[in-house]
């Protein structure tokens, strides 16, 4: 029998929610454990084995010099490296610091900021090492994670579309909340993947999956602005989990002044 | 074919019951999430009584000024194509057995027989347009064919137009002319709440024959005619189709495409709501062990980058080229491809565009500044 591919799951600055979706794959986790060797996955087992690894799944952003160094070692030990979630692919909610002075934050939040060692920015893994595939979402969709792993195991391209949320919203048969209810929705500029979860419950899309393949947020902002959204609303709309993704970052900055 | 008959409101339920008895699943307009959508209905009680819709570019709101009428609305975000050409459909699956033998199974056909209740003239034409795509020529779509064959169509003539409707200029409405089994006109006046019904096929005549009806009298016919005339007269949006193909072919480098690209989100909503758009892509997915695979077709759009992706990248990389592809296909290349316009004037793409882009306005803007005229002037 050929040896099973070795899988490692890494965590940087993040909330653990994305790697938790791996454990949430209740129906498939045993099959997965049969198909791969879970060589490094601290959330599931303290049996941490040495590399090299065939597939490394990375959650979290780079916020410390130590993590910037660690991700280089992970990359060197991994044949394929896939980042998962808004933190790893765009810097996460903690990338809000990129718009402010991190020293100011620390002095307000911590009694003894001198013990905190952190970088001035939160950045995606792709700014530090080569990434083979990025899976978006805050949190990621566990079905999509399964699809990425299945694709890796079967040496094929993951079937993960990068068009707008609107496309899956319409396929699902939802009534558009922007058009029919006047609710602000980031769906037209947001990467598909959630199955248009929020619009299915009459809420506007919050942009958890980050920018879609060719986003046009300036036009969407003009429309929302003409229909009641103020500049601050627009800044806040783009400045959430994917605040650091270039298209959202630029759009939020454009409405700041 | 027999002539028009009239029946009272309560007979509508008999009509629906008769269709159910003949084995049809009823799909009709019903209110959900603040819009009139097409879904499964049981009886006339599920129809949107008194509901109207107020539509503008990028805006849709329900109203309640339809009185007792069941069909006082126009078309909403859903179209019948979802039922003939589902948004997502597994085409085949395969499995490798213990001996490594590969078995491929074609997806069984949907054997349900549907009845569409309340198909408007524009949508009737849209179904005929999609028939050409899926049924004409060498490559017939077996799934579409099975669904379409079993489908019974009850058309309803419009008695009002939404502000986004432009069927009159496209020659498709507001009166259903062909392609239905039964066409109804709802009449609510001093003479009562009733329907004028015209058979459009033998099974339509057969269905009407089984109901309690009377021959339509002059008053019914005049009222029905006045209703559709009202709808036509109330329509102020129009698309000038005169030489539209040549117009668009001659203006592929028109600056208006840049202007619309500045507003277009490339979100794809227009293509998903359009009752004639037919583009799909297929996903091949496997399970973890690689012993099972599925080939799944889903709606795609010319607004996605993947749609024009070939080795090395997407052919239509800019929003300008994608919007231009969409509009010129609808209004021009469709004519070369299928011998008909790809637009039936239903107005859905206008209402459901999140930023209110209006195909009639875009076409008019190009016509107003036709580049050929510039050349003629230059020649003179
Ligand atoms: S509700 Fe949002 S995601 Fe859905 S179609 Fe409308 S704008 Fe797009
Ligand atoms: S476009 Fe014409 S046929 Fe279609 S809903 Fe409007 S009025 Fe009726
Ligand atoms: S292009 Fe627009 S108006 Fe024409 S048929 Fe499609 S959705 Fe209706
Ligand atoms: S025309 Fe409107 S609905 Fe169509 S892709 Fe552009 S923004 Fe989206």
């Amino acid at each position: 029998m050929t040896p099973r591919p070795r899988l490692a799951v890494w965590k940087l600055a993040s909330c653990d929610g994305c790697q938790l979706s791996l454990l949430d794959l209740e129906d498939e986790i045993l099959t997965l454990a049969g198909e791969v060797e879970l060589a490094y996955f601290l959330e599931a087992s303290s049996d941490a084995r040495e590399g090299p690894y065939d597939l490394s799944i990375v959650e979290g952003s780079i916020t410390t010099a130590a993590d910037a160094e660690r991700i280089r070692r992970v990359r060197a030990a991994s044949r394929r490296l896939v980042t998962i979630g808004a933190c790893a692919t765009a810097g996460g909610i903690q990338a809000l610091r990129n718009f402010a002075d991190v020293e100011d934050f620390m002095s307000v939040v911590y009694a003894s900021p001198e013990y905190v060692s952190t970088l001035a920015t939160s950045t995606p893994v792709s700014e530090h090492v080569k990434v083979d595939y990025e899976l978006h979402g805050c949190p990621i969709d566990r079905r999509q994670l399964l699809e990425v792993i299945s694709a890796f195991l079967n040496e094929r391209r993951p079937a993960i579309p990068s068009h707008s949320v609107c496309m899956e919203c319409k396929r699902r048969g939802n009534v558009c909340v922007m058009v029919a209810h006047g609710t602000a929705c980031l769906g037209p500029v947001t990467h598909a993947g959630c199955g248009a979860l929020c619009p299915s419950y009459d809420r506007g899309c919050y942009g958890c999956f980050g920018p879609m393949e060719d986003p046009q947020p300036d036009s969407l902002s003009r429309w929302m602005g003409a229909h009641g959204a103020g500049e601050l609303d627009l800044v806040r709309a783009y400045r959430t989990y994917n605040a650091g993704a270039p298209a959202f970052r630029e759009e939020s900055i454009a409405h700041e002044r | 074919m027999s002539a028009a008959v009239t029946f009272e409101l309560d007979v509508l339920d008999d009509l629906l019951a008769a269709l159910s008895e003949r084995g049809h699943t009823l799909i009709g307009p019903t209110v959900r999430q603040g819009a009139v959508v097409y879904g499964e209905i049981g009886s006339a009680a599920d129809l949107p009584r008194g509901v109207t819709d107020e539509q503008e570019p990028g805006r849709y709101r329900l109203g309640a000024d339809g009185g007792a009428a069941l069909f006082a609305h126009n078309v909403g975000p859903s179209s019948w194509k979802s039922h003939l050409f589902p948004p997502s459909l597994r085409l085949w699956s395969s499995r490798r057995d213990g001996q490594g033998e590969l078995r491929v199974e074609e997806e069984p056909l949907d054997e349900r027989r549907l009845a569409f209740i309340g198909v408007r003239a524009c949508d009737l034409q849209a179904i005929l347009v999609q028939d050409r795509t899926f049924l004409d020529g060498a490559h017939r779509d077996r799934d579409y064919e099975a669904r379409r064959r079993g489908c019974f169509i009850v058309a309803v003539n419009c008695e009002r137009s939404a502000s986004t409707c432009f069927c009159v200029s496209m020659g498709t409405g507001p009166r259903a002319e062909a392609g239905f089994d039964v066409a109804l006109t709802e009449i609510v006046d001093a003479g009562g709440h009733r329907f004028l019904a015209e058979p459009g096929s033998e099974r339509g005549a057969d269905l009407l024959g089984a109901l309690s009806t009377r021959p339509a009298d002059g008053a019914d016919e005049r009222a029905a005619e006045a209703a559709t005339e009202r709808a036509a007269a109330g329509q102020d949006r129009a698309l000038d189709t005169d030489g539209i193909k040549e117009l668009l072919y001659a203006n592929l480098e028109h600056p208006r495409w840049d202007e619309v690209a500045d507003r277009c989100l490339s979100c794809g909503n227009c293509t998903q709501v359009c009752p004639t758009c037919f583009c799909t892509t297929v996903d091949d997915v496997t399970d973890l062990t690689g012993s099972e695979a599925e080939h799944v077709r889903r709606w795609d759009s010319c607004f996605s980058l993947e749609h024009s992706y070939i080795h090395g990248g997407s052919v239509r990389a800019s929003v300008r080229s994608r919007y231009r592809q969409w509009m010129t296909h609808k209004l021009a290349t469709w004519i070369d491809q299928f011998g008909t316009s790809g637009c039936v004037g239903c107005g859905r793409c206008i209402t459901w565009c999140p930023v209110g882009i209006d195909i009639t306005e875009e076409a008019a803007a190009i016509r107003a500044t036709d580049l050929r005229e510039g050349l003629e002037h230059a020649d003179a």
Side-chain angles (χ1 to χ4, degrees):
Chain A
M1 200 179 137
T2 48
R4 291 171 301 162
R6 308 188 77 222
L7 178 73
V9 182
W10 307 94
K11 175 190 155 61
L12 304 164
S14 59
C15 76
D16 278 34
C18 287
Q19 48 170 318
L20 206 56
S21 38
L22 200 57
L23 292 176
D24 271 349
L25 288 169
E26 287 160 6
D27 297 334
E28 293 87 5
I29 190 82
L30 289 178
T31 314
L32 180 64
E35 294 297 314
V36 300
E37 177 196 341
L38 281 173
Y40 187 98
F41 186 12
L42 293 183
E43 190 150 310
S45 160
S46 53
D47 175 15
R49 300 176 202 159
E50 295 286 315
Y53 311 101
D54 292 292
L55 175 62
S56 273
I57 293 177
V58 181
E59 171 196 283
S61 68
I62 306 291
T63 56
T64 64
D67 276 351
E69 185 42 42
R70 188 153 71 108
I71 195 64
R72 280 194 194 89
R73 291 200 304 273
V74 168
R75 175 71 261 192
S78 311
R79 186 161 69 85
R80 289 270 184 263
L81 188 150
V82 171
T83 52
I84 60 168
C87 299
T89 59
I93 189 79
Q94 57 275 27
L96 287 177
R97 72 166 66 166
N98 303 4
F99 300 90
D101 185 348
V102 77
E103 303 288 333
D104 285 352
F105 277 151
M106 280 200 297
S107 63
V108 174
V109 176
Y110 298 102
S112 312
E114 62 274 19
Y115 292 125
V116 181
S117 153
T118 188
L119 296 172
T121 55
S122 170
T123 44
V125 171
S126 61
E127 281 191 21
H128 301 263
V129 295
K130 177 174 173 285
V131 170
D132 295 299
Y133 193 82
E134 292 188 314
L135 182 63
H136 299 272
C138 182
I140 53 163
D141 178 87
R142 61 195 173 102
R143 296 273 123 208
Q144 287 205 324
L145 179 60
L146 186 66
E147 168 59 16
V148 170
I149 298 173
S150 300
F152 169 81
L153 291 173
N154 292 289
E155 295 179 1
R156 62 177 174 83
R157 202 169 78 126
I160 299 209
S162 53
H163 55 51
S164 69
V165 171
C166 297
M167 294 273 291
E168 42 186 11
C169 194
K170 283 288 183 291
R171 276 204 295 274
R172 193 164 168 162
N174 288 339
V175 171
C176 175
V177 303
M178 278 264 279
V179 172
H181 311 166
T183 303
C185 181
L186 289 186
V189 297
T190 300
H191 196 291
C194 63
L197 193 57
C198 292
S200 304
Y201 293 92
D202 290 344
R203 305 288 296 264
C205 166
Y206 295 100
C208 314
F209 279 59
M212 51 89 103
E213 55 191 11
D214 188 15
Q216 311 295 326
D218 50 337
S219 167
L220 184 64
S221 300
R222 277 200 303 273
W223 182 268
M224 296 203 294
H227 291 80
E231 291 292 280
L232 189 59
D233 299 324
L234 292 170
V235 173
R236 286 189 176 147
Y238 294 104
R239 211 167 272 183
T240 62
Y241 332 99
N242 288 283
F248 286 5
R249 181 181 60 219
E250 279 156 35
E251 192 59 22
S252 76
I253 290 172
H255 295 280
E256 210 164 23
R257 27 198 107 98
Chain B
M1 229 147 292
S2 43
V5 295
T6 303
F7 62 77
E8 300 301 315
L9 173 64
D10 54 358
V11 176
L12 185 62
D13 262 329
D14 301 339
L15 182 149
L16 298 180
L19 282 169
S20 299
E21 273 158 32
R22 288 164 200 219
H24 290 281
T25 301
L26 307 177
I27 312 286
T30 186
V31 172
R32 176 167 58 74
Q33 281 186 293
V36 176
V37 298
Y38 301 135
E40 218 171 303
I41 56 167
S43 71
D46 296 329
L47 296 171
R49 186 186 168 92
V51 174
T52 51
D53 47 25
E54 187 194 302
Q55 306 194 34
E56 303 166 22
R59 189 174 193 276
Y60 177 103
R61 293 292 182 278
L62 288 180
D65 52 345
L70 304 176
F71 296 98
H73 55 278
N74 289 95
V75 297
S78 60
S79 76
W80 307 98
K81 87 170 175 185
S82 314
H83 298 279
L84 294 172
F85 164 55
S88 172
L89 180 71
R90 184 168 57 205
L91 299 178
W92 51 259
S93 52
S94 66
R95 166 192 297 271
R96 210 191 305 276
D97 65 18
Q99 279 75 51
E101 204 64 42
L102 202 62
R103 277 226 329 267
V104 179
E105 256 173 61
E106 199 167 19
E107 189 69 6
L109 293 173
D110 187 332
E111 297 294 354
R112 277 181 321 157
R113 295 167 64 213
L114 304 176
F116 292 167
I117 312 300
V119 181
R120 304 307 171 122
C122 55
D123 280 351
L124 214 45
Q125 177 62 22
I127 293 172
L128 298 178
V129 168
Q130 283 212 325
D131 282 354
R132 297 191 190 210
T133 305
F134 293 122
L135 302 179
D136 282 2
H139 305 286
R140 298 166 79 86
D141 184 306
R142 62 191 280 277
D143 183 77
Y144 182 91
E145 190 171 28
R147 292 170 198 263
R148 183 73 173 91
R149 196 187 315 120
C151 188
F152 190 101
I153 293 182
V154 178
V156 166
N157 291 320
C158 289
E159 54 89 26
R160 62 174 83 192
S161 292
S163 92
T164 42
C165 296
F166 59 102
C167 61
V168 174
S169 62
M170 300 307 288
T172 57
R175 201 184 136 76
E177 303 289 354
F180 54 81
D181 292 296
V182 170
L184 303 177
T185 309
E186 185 172 29
I187 305 167
V188 190
D189 63 13
H193 192 167
R194 60 202 189 281
F195 290 90
L196 183 120
E198 298 153 82
S201 68
E202 236 162 78
R203 53 183 190 166
D206 184 56
L207 179 81
L208 290 178
L211 304 174
S212 156
T213 63
R214 60 175 168 79
D217 61 24
D220 299 335
E221 284 183 350
R222 276 192 302 279
E225 210 163 293
T228 44
E229 271 164 18
R230 220 166 31 242
Q235 214 170 90
D236 27 68
R237 196 172 245 87
L239 197 148
D240 181 356
T241 56
D242 185 32
I244 186 89
K245 193 176 90 174
E246 293 72 22
L247 173 75
L248 293 179
Y249 285 174
N251 284 282
L252 295 175
E253 300 303 333
H254 198 286
R256 182 73 185 191
W257 302 118
D258 293 309
E259 202 275 338
V260 67
D262 190 43
R263 284 175 287 137
C264 175
L265 306 166
S266 207
C267 62
N269 273 299
C270 46
T271 55
Q272 308 298 283
V273 295
C274 179
T276 68
C277 276
F278 58 81
C279 283
T280 56
T281 184
V282 284
D283 288 328
D284 286 296
V285 289
T286 52
D287 69 345
L288 284 169
T289 65
S291 58
E292 281 174 40
E294 290 187 347
H295 190 68
V296 183
R297 183 183 83 181
R298 64 174 157 83
W299 287 358
D300 196 6
S301 167
C302 49
F303 284 97
S304 83
L305 283 176
E306 192 191 24
H307 186 267
S308 69
Y309 186 89
I310 55 169
H311 176 76
S314 289
V315 175
R316 288 185 285 271
S318 66
V319 178
R320 173 184 187 270
S321 63
R322 294 197 290 275
Y323 186 86
R324 183 178 64 185
Q325 156 65 26
W326 177 70
M327 195 172 111
T328 52
H329 189 209
K330 290 278 105 166
L331 301 176
T333 51
W334 208 292
I335 300 173
D336 286 333
Q337 197 179 4
F338 299 111
T340 176
S341 174
C343 174
V344 299
C346 73
R348 283 184 179 90
C349 56
I350 305 172
T351 300
W352 299 97
C353 170
V355 290
I357 293 173
D358 176 349
I359 187 172
T360 65
E361 192 184 314
E362 296 313 312
I366 286 178
R367 189 180 290 279
T369 46
D370 185 350
L371 294 180
R372 287 174 300 185
E373 279 165 28
L375 290 177
E376 273 158 31
H377 292 313
D379 288 348

